[in-house]
């Protein structure tokens, strides 16, 4: 199963420009080094089908995009009466074709687990998308055994986030076929770079999960000062080193 590493957005920080080709769009240059990217702008506003098509044609065949579900669905409608919104989103993002990866469903911290409403919504979303879905809940009520079982039934993976609001939120949950990490920076969210030790520890975790047959995504979101791109490049290097020294996984 693939290991995918990327950043929330595809900007190329000036201080790292030498790590990328000097010509092409930002996305074209980004796609030469990374295998994935997370589109966050879709959370705030829709993009036309042709825009997604253009993005898809800008990257290599094995590149994948994860796309964040609009806030009108997750934060405003809260899964209720949003069939038309989901259908529109599915149609727009279909422009990515086979390069559309997981749909990221991030919930507001105040959104408590709504029981059957959640299970029906996730089922309908997966039917509309016909692809993987990852869920990032941020209310404690979602971190219960019965919710984890529901996510497994729906083949929906729970995001592992850092910093985590709860201990269990730091680890992947739900369906085990896909692990999706969103690393926002710690201690200063969106700003702090991860240390070499933290990157190595995460590389060990990624390698161990992947060895068990899990597809693993890592998205760095500590983008304010360019640390995300640096950490993503460091993670790629750390995983490459592990391939040549598998015993390091246990260190």
């Amino acid at each position: 199963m693939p290991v995918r590493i990327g950043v929330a957005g595809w900007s190329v920080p000036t201080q790292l420009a030498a790590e990328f080709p000097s010509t092409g769009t930002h996305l074209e240059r980004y796609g030469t080094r990374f295998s994935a990217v997370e589109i966050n702008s879709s959370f705030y506003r829709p993009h036309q089908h042709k825009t997604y098509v253009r993005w898809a044609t800008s990257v290599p065949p094995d590149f994948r995009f994860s796309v964040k579900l609009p806030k009108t669905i997750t934060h405003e409608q809260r899964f209720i009466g949003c069939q038309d919104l989901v259908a529109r989103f599915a149609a727009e993002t279909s422009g990515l074709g086979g390069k559309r990866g997981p749909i990221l469903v991030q919930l507001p911290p105040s959104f408590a687990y709504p029981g059957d409403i959640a299970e029906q919504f996730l089922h309908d979303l997966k039917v509309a998308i016909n692809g993987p879905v990852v869920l990032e809940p941020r209310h404690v009520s979602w971190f219960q055994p019965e919710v984890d079982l529901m996510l497994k039934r729906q083949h929906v993976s729970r995001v592992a986030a850092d910093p985590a609001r709860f201990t269990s939120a730091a680890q992947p949950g739900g369906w085990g076929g896909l692990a999706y990490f969103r690393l926002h920076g710690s201690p200063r969210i969106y700003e702090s770079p991860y240390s070499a030790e933290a990157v190595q520890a995460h590389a060990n975790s990624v390698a161990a999960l992947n060895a068990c047959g899990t597809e693993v995504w890592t998205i760095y979101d500590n983008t304010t000062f360019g640390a995300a791109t640096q950490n993503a490049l460091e993670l790629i290097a750390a995983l490459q080193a592990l391939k040549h020294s598998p015993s390091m996984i246990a260190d």
Side-chain angles (χ1 to χ4, degrees):
M1 298 300 292
V3 169
R4 298 197 179 276
I5 298 166
V7 178
W10 52 76
S11 63
V12 176
T14 302
Q15 67 270 28
L16 294 173
E19 299 284 345
F20 299 84
S22 59
T23 60
T25 66
H26 281 289
L27 179 55
E28 288 169 340
R29 296 167 66 202
Y30 174 97
T32 65
R33 296 301 308 271
F34 298 116
S35 59
V37 74
E38 183 182 276
I39 299 175
N40 275 203
S41 55
S42 54
F43 178 75
Y44 300 101
R45 62 186 185 280
H47 299 298
Q48 295 181 23
H49 180 271
K50 65 180 182 181
T51 300
Y52 286 107
V53 171
R54 185 177 75 251
W55 289 340
T57 59
S58 299
V59 292
D62 62 347
F63 190 96
R64 295 293 181 270
F65 297 82
S66 66
V67 193
K68 195 170 183 179
L69 202 64
K71 66 177 181 179
T72 50
I73 297 171
T74 55
H75 289 53
E76 297 171 16
Q77 299 292 105
R78 298 197 175 204
F79 296 171
I80 296 174
C82 50
Q83 293 88 345
D84 290 345
L85 293 171
V86 168
R88 174 183 174 179
F89 175 79
E92 291 166 349
T93 59
S94 69
L96 294 173
K99 295 175 183 175
R100 184 174 64 186
I103 301 305
L104 169 64
V105 182
Q106 185 193 56
L107 305 181
S110 61
F111 190 176
Y113 179 57
D116 292 345
I117 292 173
E119 184 159 15
Q120 185 64 52
F121 172 81
L122 292 171
H123 173 271
D124 293 346
L125 176 62
K126 284 186 65 68
V127 169
I129 293 296
N130 191 28
V133 171
V134 296
L135 178 72
E136 186 179 9
R138 292 183 288 174
H139 189 280
V140 68
S141 60
W142 290 84
F143 296 86
Q144 307 298 328
E146 61 271 23
V147 180
D148 211 52
L149 288 173
M150 180 275 289
L151 294 176
K152 290 177 181 177
R153 285 197 302 271
Q154 295 300 326
H155 280 207
V156 171
S157 304
R158 193 186 71 231
V159 168
D162 181 75
R165 290 174 173 267
F166 320 103
T167 301
S168 51
Q171 300 299 322
W175 181 57
L178 171 64
Y180 194 102
F181 293 87
R182 301 189 79 221
L183 308 181
H184 302 290
S186 181
R188 299 187 308 279
I189 191 168
Y190 306 129
E191 296 181 2
S192 295
Y194 288 96
S195 66
E197 292 77 13
V199 171
Q200 184 63 60
H202 184 63
N204 293 346
S205 297
V206 168
L209 282 166
N210 193 241
C212 295
T214 300
E215 178 178 352
V216 187
W217 282 61
T218 299
I219 297 295
Y220 284 98
D221 191 28
N222 49 336
T223 55
T224 301
F225 301 118
T229 306
Q230 181 65 51
N231 286 151
L233 291 169
E234 291 167 348
L235 180 61
I236 291 172
L239 285 166
Q240 288 174 340
L242 283 178
K243 287 183 179 180
H244 299 290
S245 181
S247 62
M248 289 176 63
I249 297 174
D251 291 348

